[in-house]
Amino acid sequence: GYSADCVVDSVSLSVPAIDTYDYSSDGITLKWNSVANASGYRIYKYDEAKKTYVNVKTINGQSVSSYKVTGLESGQTYKFKIKAFRRLSSGIVWTKASSAYSAYNGEDVIPDTPMITSCAVGADSVTVSWTKIDNASGYRLYRYDEAAKTYKSVKTLNGADSTSYTVSGAAEKFKVKAFIRLGNKVSWGKASSVFTTLSSVSCIPEFISAQAGESSVTLEWTKIGIASGYRLYRYDEEARTYISVKTLNGSDSTSYTVTGIGAGTYKFKIKAYSRHDGEVSWGKASQPLTAEII
């Protein structure tokens, strides 16, 4: 048994380490780094009833680096350790036991995909929130890196309830993944759909004023700092929908004069948009503004 072995430290043998495993229907195959000068290895499994590690198998051969443990209960997580040994004329020299390694006896469990629900934009940060995945061990948040033209990891959070994180700086596009950790193996779910901060309530422009002129009206709205520009819409009574009036480039383009309109009552909306790597993301439309031309 594990407790009965005589452990002799030796500078000539390194302590092996279980670094991965494979699951199959008939057992778990543990894999480790082979140890120079070793004569073999011994595998131990934690016995819950005895509250100690017990001998599973003694394996001869320095180059051996895997062993299948059978007779395990499906759907359970087991803990293992490994030692290396060397046979000498004076006896057997053992290394210390490796750190415990956990292995799940079952198929990989892939978590569902979370959905980003909001991005609260502050002065110098963005707080991203997403839906909870009940069986998740945690999540990884990514944001789009303009220079690298790819999504990069921002933070890995542990716990199914860890469903928000505040990112410093002015990031605009995010994704999130859930993961499940079973033993020492991690299974990742699919990444969420891209969420642009322009979809956040705090990134919806608001009309500030409407100044009527002769056959015209000058509209002004709030600036969205992360926007690439805006699109102005006017309600068309015949089509019974809002139609585009003008697309303006630049986050500072916060006013526009609509000309060629007669006396009457008009309704307008405004949207912000962001352009990244040739793709355009649109924010939500503002509340309608009613302007009367006399």
Side-chain angles (χ1 to χ4, degrees):
Y2 179 78
S3 59
D5 284 327
C6 177
V7 178
V8 179
D9 292 336
S10 173
V11 293
S12 62
L13 285 179
S14 301
V15 177
I18 301 170
D19 52 20
T20 188
Y21 74 95
D22 291 329
Y23 163 79
S24 61
S25 58
D26 58 345
I28 291 172
T29 300
L30 302 172
K31 299 180 180 182
W32 59 88
N33 57 306
S34 58
V35 174
N37 301 316
S39 300
Y41 307 91
R42 181 170 286 176
I43 304 292
Y44 301 86
K45 178 172 69 73
Y46 188 76
D47 189 307
E48 291 288 349
K50 296 178 179 178
K51 304 298 181 186
T52 189
Y53 283 85
V54 298
N55 181 7
V56 173
K57 182 71 175 179
T58 302
I59 306 160
N60 292 311
Q62 180 273 332
S63 62
V64 178
S65 58
S66 66
Y67 178 73
K68 179 178 284 188
V69 183
T70 59
L72 303 175
E73 186 177 346
S74 179
Q76 297 297 312
T77 299
Y78 294 88
K79 292 190 293 184
F80 299 92
K81 289 186 178 183
I82 187 172
K83 291 181 184 178
F85 67 88
R86 183 179 181 184
R87 288 192 179 91
L88 301 172
S89 58
S90 56
I92 297 178
V93 176
W94 293 88
T95 65
K96 292 181 179 180
S98 68
S99 298
Y101 186 91
S102 296
Y104 177 71
N105 189 40
E107 298 285 355
D108 291 346
V109 181
I110 306 301
D112 291 335
T113 303
M115 179 179 67
I116 297 177
T117 54
S118 68
C119 289
V121 181
D124 56 1
S125 65
V126 179
T127 299
V128 186
S129 301
W130 53 87
T131 54
K132 176 182 176 181
I133 304 299
D134 287 334
N135 65 342
S137 300
Y139 310 89
R140 181 169 289 172
L141 180 65
Y142 300 82
R143 71 174 168 186
Y144 190 74
D145 186 303
E146 285 289 346
K149 304 298 182 185
T150 189
Y151 283 87
K152 291 188 175 181
S153 172
V154 175
K155 183 71 174 180
T156 301
L157 302 103
N158 292 313
D161 293 321
S162 300
T163 55
S164 68
Y165 184 72
T166 299
V167 181
S168 299
E172 299 181 27
K173 295 170 74 175
F174 296 92
K175 290 182 179 182
V176 67
K177 286 181 183 179
F179 66 88
I180 293 176
R181 182 180 290 110
L182 293 170
N184 278 58
K185 184 175 287 188
V186 175
S187 298
W188 291 91
K190 293 182 179 179
S192 67
S193 299
V194 175
F195 190 98
T196 173
T197 50
L198 290 179
S199 299
S200 171
V201 172
S202 57
C203 286
I204 299 174
E206 297 179 0
F207 284 108
I208 299 172
S209 64
Q211 294 184 336
E214 186 175 348
S215 300
S216 68
V217 59
T218 298
L219 305 169
E220 186 178 0
W221 53 87
T222 55
K223 175 182 175 179
I224 304 300
I226 63 172
S228 300
Y230 309 89
R231 180 169 288 175
L232 181 65
Y233 298 84
R234 184 182 75 192
Y235 188 76
D236 186 303
E237 291 290 347
E238 291 185 5
R240 296 189 178 280
T241 188
Y242 282 87
I243 59 174
S244 175
V245 174
K246 181 70 175 179
T247 300
L248 302 103
N249 294 316
S251 62
D252 292 323
S253 301
T254 55
S255 67
Y256 183 73
T257 299
V258 182
T259 59
I261 54 177
T265 300
Y266 299 88
K267 291 192 293 184
F268 298 92
K269 287 185 178 182
I270 187 79
K271 281 183 182 180
Y273 71 87
S274 179
R275 183 179 287 111
H276 294 280
D277 199 23
E279 295 184 4
V280 176
S281 300
W282 289 93
K284 295 180 180 179
S286 68
Q287 293 295 314
L289 170 77
T290 300
E292 187 172 353
I293 309 300
I294 299 174

